[in-house]
Amino acid sequence: MIRLSVLYPKTDGATFDHDYYRDSHVPLALAKWGLESADIDKGIDGPYEAAVHFTFESMEAMGAALGGEGTAEVQGDVPNYTTIAPVMQISEIV
């Protein structure tokens, strides 16, 4: 299993709409990438404002999902909820 984590570092002067992220952006990503669920974090203490964790069956499945047409729409939606440049991490779940 592969986890794609998208992390949003706390950034002075940046904006982040948690409601839009939870209610619109993450569901859009799930629909476009053919996933059923994701774990969303709203930062309380630490270096991140927010994070989301998507799980894929394999690197190939993740590559196919992210390489699909829908990813452009997902990326184009980012300005609707934040001005923070995200940091991505790909991990093997062990």
Side-chain angles (χ1 to χ4, degrees), residues 21-77:
Y21 189 63
R22 180 192 64 235
D23 298 336
S24 297
H25 182 75
V26 173
L28 172 66
L30 292 171
K32 297 299 178 181
W33 296 338
L35 300 173
E36 292 185 21
S37 65
D39 294 317
I40 301 171
D41 300 342
K42 182 176 181 180
I44 295 173
D45 186 22
Y48 297 105
E49 180 68 34
V52 64
H53 311 280
F54 299 101
T55 303
F56 297 90
E57 290 294 321
S58 65
M59 286 293 293
E60 294 78 17
M62 184 186 74
L66 273 59
E69 296 176 8
T71 296
E73 188 176 346
V74 173
Q75 291 174 329
D77 189 51

Side-chain angles (χ1 to χ4, degrees), residues 2-21:
I2 299 297
R3 177 181 294 131
L4 170 63
S5 298
V6 184
L7 309 148
Y8 296 86
K10 289 184 179 175
T11 307
D12 288 339
T15 60
F16 196 99
D17 183 338
H18 289 277
D19 292 334
Y20 184 91
Y21 189 63

